[in-house]
Amino acid sequence: MSRLSIRSSLIAVFGAIAALTAVLSWAAISSLSHVAGNLDTISNNSLRSVQASKNIETAILGMTIAYMSHLTTTSDFGMEAAEKLITEQSAALKSALDTYKPMISGDDEKQLVDQIATGVDKYVAGGEKMLGFSRKASDARARVEMEKMRIAIQPVMEAVTELVKGNADEAVVETAKAEATYASALTTMYAILGVVFVLIAGAAVYVLTGIARPIQRITASMSNLAAGDTATG
């Protein structure tokens, strides 16, 4: 089998380098695209869901504090302030639930949100009864209603806690995916760069042994001929 010419060999080597460089570029772009997709999921879904679920939790706790303040205050000013806070937190809770609903991605998640919404409605209805007794200074009956509210809100808070945890876990999973994709991209690029380096080193060795040395021998022979040495070597 005839040996490839120097020109053909160099074309083959540098063609392989060009092909591997193209593969490296494709791998880098593809990997970065996957990383961008993971980051987009984290920023536009996971983190927003975590924040929205925490807003639900914060609003419920705020309502509970406001109801307790109304029950324990002894002044009209305190009652007005408590009722204003109840209205504000109720609006914040409705807004948080409305914000979260479009982010629901599964039946279990929908069931939790429905459970929270239903439980909150019952809690607010109990709150209206409690406020009625509290306004009339019927503290004993108001405290009875407050205890019923406490019992009613417990499963709601458990559902909210589960919702927050689920969203936080999803954010962790998506972050891990992004990190794994990034690590895989680096490994692939390092491997391709290693092959390119080997090819370049091989091409350099080939140039030295296949081109430079024969040229040196020819130059030496020509020098000898010029000096009158016609002996073959």
Side-chain angles (χ1 to χ4, degrees):
M1 184 173 63
S2 60
R3 183 179 178 181
L4 289 175
S5 66
I6 293 175
R7 179 174 178 276
S8 298
S9 299
L10 289 177
I11 290 174
V13 170
F14 288 106
I17 292 174
L20 284 172
T21 302
V23 171
L24 175 62
S25 301
W26 172 84
I29 293 172
S30 177
S31 299
L32 289 175
S33 177
H34 286 302
V35 171
N38 292 134
L39 293 177
D40 182 68
T41 300
I42 293 170
S43 61
N44 292 330
N45 189 9
S46 300
L47 293 182
R48 288 180 61 201
S49 297
V50 169
Q51 185 59 54
S53 57
K54 284 186 175 294
N55 289 343
I56 293 171
E57 183 179 42
T58 301
I60 293 175
L61 292 174
M63 288 178 66
T64 301
I65 292 172
Y67 282 127
M68 289 296 298
S69 296
H70 196 285
L71 181 61
T72 57
T73 189
T74 57
S75 67
D76 292 339
F77 175 79
M79 287 186 180
E80 289 177 3
E83 289 183 20
K84 180 181 179 182
L85 182 57
I86 290 170
T87 301
E88 291 173 352
Q89 293 300 317
S90 179
L93 177 57
K94 183 180 183 302
S95 176
L97 284 169
D98 290 342
T99 299
Y100 191 90
K101 286 177 181 178
M103 304 178 194
I104 295 174
S105 59
D107 292 337
D108 291 341
E109 191 175 12
K110 183 178 185 302
Q111 185 176 354
L112 282 175
V113 174
D114 289 342
Q115 179 184 346
I116 292 168
T118 302
V120 165
D121 289 341
K122 292 180 180 179
Y123 183 69
V124 171
E128 288 300 316
K129 291 181 181 179
M130 190 279 293
L131 290 176
F133 291 128
S134 180
R135 293 188 190 106
K136 297 175 182 178
S138 299
D139 291 346
R141 298 184 68 179
R143 291 182 185 282
V144 170
E145 291 300 328
M146 194 68 199
E147 177 62 18
K148 291 179 181 178
M149 292 169 63
R150 185 188 68 79
I151 295 172
I153 204 63
Q154 281 182 346
V156 175
M157 293 307 296
E158 290 173 0
V160 171
T161 300
E162 185 176 348
L163 192 66
V164 171
K165 182 179 183 301
N167 285 303
D169 290 345
E170 182 181 354
V172 170
V173 169
E174 292 298 330
T175 301
K177 286 181 180 179
E179 291 175 349
T181 302
Y182 179 71
S184 176
L186 283 181
T187 300
T188 301
M189 287 187 283
Y190 286 148
I192 295 175
L193 284 172
V195 174
V196 170
F197 176 78
V198 170
L199 282 175
I200 292 174
V205 171
Y206 181 80
V207 168
L208 288 175
T209 58
I211 299 177
R213 289 181 182 175
I215 289 175
Q216 289 175 351
R217 287 197 296 269
I218 292 172
T219 301
S221 297
M222 295 298 293
S223 296
N224 291 336
L225 285 173
D229 183 4
T230 58
T232 59

